[in-house]
Amino acid sequence: MLQEHVKNTFFCWKGSLNAFIIILLDSSPVEGVSLLEVSPCLLGFISSVVSSRASESSIISFALKLIGLVAAAEDGFRALQETSVLDLAFDPQHWREEGLWEDPCIRIGWIHGFSTMLQHRQAFSFFVRADSIKPLLQLQTDTSLFVASAASQMLTQVLMFCHPLSSGFNETEVDNKSSSSSITGLKCPNATESDHESAAVVTEILEFLKRRMLPKEPSQLHQSQQILKLLASILSQAGPSLQNKLLLTVGESLEELVASNYSQLTRPLMDVILAGYSSVGGDVKVPDPILSRLLSVMLNQREPPDLIHAAAAFLCSGHDNRIHMEQSAGILLLPVDIITSLTLLEGNFTVKEHQLSMMEQLKNKTSCVSMICISLKYIPKITLMAPDCRPCPPASVVGAVLSLLRLCSGLSPPSVAGCVTVFRNVTGSGKVQKCALEALSALSSSPEVKVMLVEVFTLLIEYLNHPDSDPTVLQKSYQALLKWIGVCSNLSSITNQLKQDLTQVVRKRVCDMRWEVRDSTVEFLGHLAGLPACSTEDGGVCDISQYVLGGCCFTTPLLMEALHDPESYVRASAISALAQAMRNSWRQGAVPTKEQAEIVTQLLEILSQDTEGFARRAVLQFFITWFSSYPSCTSSPLLMQSVRSVLLQGCADLDWEVKVHTLDLAELLMDQAFLGQHGYTKGLESHPAQPHPYAVTAKQAYTLHTHSGTHTLSSDLDGLVKQGLLSVLLSGLFDCDRPVGLKACRLLIRLKDALLLRPQDTTDAGKTDPGLNCELLSQGWAHEIRNVLGMEDRTSGTDAHTVTINVCDLVKCLDLEERLDVLTRSSDHFYNSPRSLLQDILTAGSAHAQQDSQLKEEVIVDCY
Amino acid sequence: MKLYCLSGHPTLPCNVLKFKSTTIMLDCGLDTTSVLNFLPLPLVHSPRLSKLPGWIPKDGTMNLEKELKECAGRVFVDSQPEFCLPERELLDLSTIDVILISNYHCMMALPYITEHTGFTGTVYATEPTLQIGRLLMEELVNFMERVPKAQSATSWKNKDMQRMLPGPLKDAVDVWTWKRCYGMQEVNSALSRVQLVGYSQKVELFGAVQVSPLSSGYSLGSSNWIIQSHHEKVAYVSGSSLLTTHPQPMDQSSLKNSDVLILTGLTQMPTANPDGMLGEFCSNLAMTIRAGGNVLVPCYSSGVIYDLLECLYQFIDSANLGTTPFYFISPVANSSLEFSQIFAEWLCHNKQSKVYLPEPPFPHAELIQTNKLKHYPSIHGDFSSDFRQPCVVFTGHPSLRFGDVVHFMELWGKSGLNTIIFTEPDFSYLDALAPYQPLAMKCVYCPIDTRLNFHQVAKLLKEVQPLHVVCPEQYTQPPMTQSHRSDLMLELQPPPMPYRRCSVLNLPFRRRYERVYILPELAQSLVPTEVKPGVSIATVSAVLHSKDNKHTLQSVPKPPPVPPTKKRKRVMEEPPVAPKPLLSGAVPLEAFLATLQKHGITEVKVEETADGHILHLQAEDTLIQLEEDGTHIVCDNNEPLRTTLRDLVLRFLQKL
């Protein structure tokens, strides 16, 4: 009956089949118990789907994958074979006759089913006897990319699977890499036959690769690309013996392909070569001579754009071949060398050979921009090479990038030797500017480049000042500036004039028309304030922001102005930057100034009135930073006073992130009050590995200040209740947003633990302490609590609208653990559990059974 | 076809085109950069300027103390400022038939051309060009007349004296032609000659050529011109812009297929992108106001100011400048702001559609309404009572030599909090500031020039493909200060023809065709013969009648009956000669040889040549050259044979 239901309902179950497969895989049966034993109905379902002519292709595809799952176990395989469903299901001809093979969904099901099944020798024998290798090879160049990619993966799997078999069990060399997926450990009744089968399959695959690799006409380039991808995938997984065999078979074709100069094949070819290179591991240090030869050709004899790609690929691969490293570095530097006319490659005659052809390529705008961008992307890597290996000192590379940036913005004339056309191609090119600025950022961490600081500083200020710089270029300029300032511990070389220029340009950019620019500028001010201290010319240590821009007296007024910006991102950035800028003074415990009081007023205004969530979230972050940086929070009335307002407003906010941040602040408050108390655990310790998936994580770990006072827990709690902590937690608990509820629930549990686990004497005191009571209104979350608790019995209040309740009683009665369990599981958990799915299926099925059975197929269950 | 170049200024052109018996002046721009050599005219008495020491040459040979004053290390002429006029000697200005004006900035020399020169022609311009041009002229006259200066310095212009002066006075050219500003009477008289035209309207000039203005996208009513006859087309491109600002977009397609394209008025700031400059303008403005300073924007009372105000309209809120007053001070401020709102048909599509809502096309109306922007004719009067600082003031003249701006320079120049932002590209800002040095006020130079840059013009020319391009010589080489920027010049094939002040160019195209009309009765009398399918020809005998550049073929009048005369013999000797028939067709070789054979000429040696064949009649020692467009019979001393051969050839040809 159940089987019948399952089958019928499957026909009307669309869209959730893959989910079901995942669930089947996830809820893997107990070891020793197969899927069929757990769900015997599957067999009937499978055979009826496969033999039915009315099945939909998506159902068949699903069934094929399911067959793979079932047949992955030997007993399941045998059971399926007995019903001869396997022959039918994995016969492409059968599906062709049904007219279904055209549907990629069936082909992908066929591949996935087979590939899941190939876990044991019987399955492999079945694969060979059914002559499935031929359709599989065909699918490798399928019109559907998904099918082709799946077929490639399966071919690799088949090769890995059968190569150890074909190479014979007695062979001493067994591929280490493929042993995990091999079945050499399994006993086979007729091993010789199986070896022959495997050898035949290996030969067939290798021959196929060799035959199809070379494109006979340009239209076959795609096919060659596919073959090369497959080859790269095999090479990266194959052990030395298979690799040798592979290279012996296809080496010649590869060489021919490398010599043919098809530029579309450069990248896949490099992938193949590098895959071969990478797989040289263990004790075998020398790469295959064929691979070395191919690599030399790729790095020497191709057209410049291909050369660049090949060089980039080699440099990225991290191989330690000195000659090729030098060659690659030279090629990557060549475009910049040509454009800037700086002699980066002095004496490198091998690379200089390409100068003329490269120059020709650079005259074409598209290829010029593309080559320079690739070159710039990898230039920082070159500077990290061993000193005896790199073509020029890192400082020269930085100089070249600066020179290129000057050309791009028209700031400096091209040198006489530079080609005018090439120069025109890069002038004003935003793309090159961005790439160069990224390269400049990355170069900041290269060795021996700090001497360039002043030059970099000067250029970046020029960029920041340039009227035509677009917002992204400006943002990247700021980032590069920060990086360089950040890595240079000694900024004494920055002249006063430069500092003045920077302040001037920041002052201007903060008033820019484009909000993106204002935002980047404000962010820059924040990040700068967040940098560690630097040493000055007189040997002292100074705050960087102070040293470069004059510190808060320059920054704060600009940021305060930005709090009124019409764009919410800018306001939010300004708030974050203010927090960064004031952090140092907070850390030192400085008494808040009049200006800070003014800022607090403005921030509270933003929290209560700003229409955009970003700004309000930032306000919460500001107070969190303040609270966690200030050494003694309670000693600052301004802070404590504002925290109360922030908590009140924050928990009433409409934005769930604001509410979560409010709870973060509440947590800090609790930590400060209770840390060190018996039974209280610090938030980060109690749930270390469970941040909820959508939560915004705090930018820095909070520093907690344990208080050393003589306060009792009760008086602390009393203080917290007055601060509004309890209402924040309770309102959060009943919030409709799960992350808010979850966080509030965790905090309440900690509160409960602290309250209940405290020493007895204080508990007694607490019971009588009126401060441990809280008031519940009859609206909103309080009303909710009243309902949960059945308030009539527990009320002791006089007002019908407001009831007072003891906090301890309250947290005890709320059944927080159960609530936490529910909240942790999330809605997905309920709806996607196999139990829930099956229940849904059954409910849908029985609903049909009760109604007209003719309408069965019409009903579609919407699976959330 | 000739082009007389009366101005060397590439953006203030004044050229004269002689084309098919018409003399057309293309623009008459006034080069006002000469005023930079003069001392500013302060509206309010300036003790500083009045106490400047006279310039005394080192050797003490000249006495120019009264005329030349020394200020901040430079020498200025203490006199009413003078302008450098277009060349007036190269050509008799009274022979000019029409003047075509392309935009209001290029007509400021009009009174100098049309008045007191014997000019009797017509001036063509669009309505906004006329109206705003009038405003600019009125403003200029007003600026000059309200600060009258009795003194007129002329001694320094003496060649011998000028040579001894320090630069840049020493290097000033044609100082004798510099003239003081015209008066309102001249302006009115000059403008009364203007005839209004609309875009694409065709105006016939004496039946010889047709002129037609096209939208150029640069300013309200700005135009390029097409000057064409039936078979020739000259395009005149003056200040044009492809940017989306307030005017109607540029009409590019009508410029196609010109024989000659005269290209002037490209951007003066090829490296300054207008968008970037606008951004600079706004951020510097906001920065100054936030710091409590005032912003002075010296500008013309029409043109870019509309875009500046529009940009500020959007920027004011984002920069928290809502409470900062913006003042626009000019004798014509009110008219300029109002005019801009009424020329809806000359505006870009976006602004045009606003009119139907109905809303004012420019948002400065709202700024005025909300009292954020206030305008005044001068600093005197209402302004002085409303004036609040910090503020932003837009006022003229951008040269800083006259107008209300002089007063603000004196007022705000001493404080480093204030900023002057130059947006007009016509004057070097350093030269403009020279008489105000030393200056504490910050200076920002963000010239906004929306005219075509070299990249845009190269693309435009590629599209419209003129046969020849004529342009100021400045465009054929990179700017002096950026000699490496070969992208900042015109590179064309064939290379453009450069001109400079006083050049006379023979434009490189020959007129090959002329349209001729044929009267119906004459046409009826023609007997066309078909020479090949679809092509018929006929011979015409007629009288060609030309009047007002219109050519007509009329029937030949019948000769009057010959009166009896005694010289009868002579009449008999000269019978009326009928025109020879016209031959057409070709002589087929084979058939001709067969015919020759029939007539007993058998020994024929045929030689093939590039153009046809040579038949050598060996026995007769005669040659017959058969070519595509002619047949020659070379036959000495045998007239009968020649005649026979001729007749044989004629048998194969058609007669008309």
Side-chain angles (χ1 to χ4, degrees), chain A residues 410 413-414 420 423-424 427 465 467-468 504 507-513 518 561 564-566, chain B residues 271 273 276-280 282-284 286-287 290 311 315 317-318 320 484-487 491:
Chain A
V420 177
F423 163 64
R424 271 187 212 172
T427 309
N465 217 349
D468 295 339
Q504 202 55 32
R507 219 191 279 273
K508 182 175 90 178
R509 287 301 177 197
V510 97
C511 302
D512 202 278
M513 281 172 81
R518 298 199 298 272
E561 193 81 45
H564 301 289
D565 200 282
Chain B
T271 52
N273 169 17
M277 289 298 132
L278 209 54
E280 286 289 286
C282 287
S283 36
N284 280 296
M287 196 164 77
R290 279 188 190 183
C311 179
F315 181 65
D317 289 329
S318 74
N320 302 322
H484 64 281
R485 292 292 295 266
S486 62
D487 54 327
E491 275 185 313

Side-chain angles (χ1 to χ4, degrees), chain A residues 132-433:
Chain A
S132 299
I133 186 72
K134 287 201 170 64
L136 182 60
L137 287 171
Q138 272 172 7
L139 290 177
Q140 205 268 335
T141 48
D142 199 90
T143 44
S144 155
L145 280 182
F146 295 104
V147 175
S149 151
S152 284
Q153 282 172 17
M154 189 177 157
L155 275 169
T156 316
Q157 185 192 354
V158 169
L159 206 58
M160 292 304 115
F161 187 87
C162 57
H163 179 252
L165 297 180
S166 67
S167 55
F169 294 113
N170 298 329
E171 209 170 293
T172 47
E173 182 199 353
V174 172
D175 290 356
N176 291 328
K177 287 190 177 186
S178 50
S179 60
S180 58
S181 63
S182 78
I183 50 163
T184 44
L186 293 176
K187 286 182 181 171
C188 176
N190 46 359
T192 333
E193 191 190 327
S194 185
D195 292 348
H196 287 312
E197 283 175 349
S198 301
V201 169
V202 171
T203 317
E204 185 147 11
I205 295 177
L206 297 187
E207 281 305 314
F208 170 79
L209 290 176
K210 185 181 173 185
R211 205 169 53 243
R212 296 290 188 91
M213 188 181 294
L214 284 170
K216 292 184 182 65
E217 50 190 74
S219 64
Q220 288 176 340
L221 274 176
H222 173 70
Q223 181 185 301
S224 298
Q225 276 172 338
Q226 287 294 107
I227 297 285
L228 288 173
K229 273 186 206 165
L230 172 61
L231 193 58
S233 148
I234 297 172
L235 277 174
S236 61
Q237 295 179 42
S241 100
L242 178 56
Q243 202 186 92
N244 282 342
K245 198 166 188 175
L246 206 54
L247 289 175
L248 273 179
T249 320
V250 298
E252 221 168 276
S253 306
L254 273 177
E255 283 190 50
E256 211 170 312
L257 212 51
V258 165
S260 65
N261 256 337
Y262 283 115
S263 114
Q264 298 95 318
L265 297 182
T266 306
R267 276 188 238 191
L269 265 173
M270 276 311 282
D271 287 345
V272 168
I273 296 170
L274 294 174
Y277 244 74
S278 305
S279 63
V280 180
D283 299 332
V284 192
K285 289 282 182 207
V286 188
D288 191 283
I290 300 178
L291 289 176
S292 293
R293 200 163 55 242
L294 290 177
L295 193 57
S296 294
V297 177
M298 290 300 284
L299 293 176
N300 277 310
Q301 291 167 19
R302 309 276 290 187
E303 290 293 315
D306 299 342
L307 274 182
I308 291 258
H309 280 295
F314 185 77
L315 203 69
C316 262
S317 69
H319 289 299
D320 198 17
N321 179 317
R322 194 195 152 106
I323 297 170
H324 290 153
M325 284 289 269
E326 278 181 23
Q327 178 81 353
S328 302
I331 290 167
L332 285 169
L333 281 174
L334 190 56
V336 181
D337 174 280
I338 292 175
I339 292 182
T340 59
S341 304
L342 296 174
T343 44
L344 299 174
L345 298 167
E346 211 166 13
N348 192 335
F349 299 111
T350 345
V351 171
K352 286 276 181 184
E353 273 173 17
H354 301 293
Q355 184 140 11
L356 277 181
S357 54
M358 183 75 86
M359 179 71 121
E360 278 312 303
Q361 287 290 331
L362 288 172
K363 284 180 185 167
N364 174 303
K365 179 147 189 171
T366 325
S367 69
C368 173
V369 170
S370 139
M371 285 201 294
I372 290 177
C373 288
I374 296 173
S375 168
L376 285 169
K377 189 175 170 191
Y378 294 99
I379 271 183
K381 268 185 186 293
I382 296 173
T383 57
L384 299 175
M385 284 163 57
D388 56 336
C389 204
R390 60 192 177 211
C392 57
S396 310
V397 177
V398 175
V401 174
L402 292 178
S403 190
L404 181 63
L405 277 167
R406 282 211 179 84
L407 288 179
C408 280
S409 61
L411 288 171
S412 76
S415 65
V416 187
C419 173
V420 177
T421 330
V422 182
F423 163 64
R424 271 187 212 172
N425 288 340
V426 293
T427 309
S429 160
K431 201 172 170 195
V432 175
Q433 287 181 1

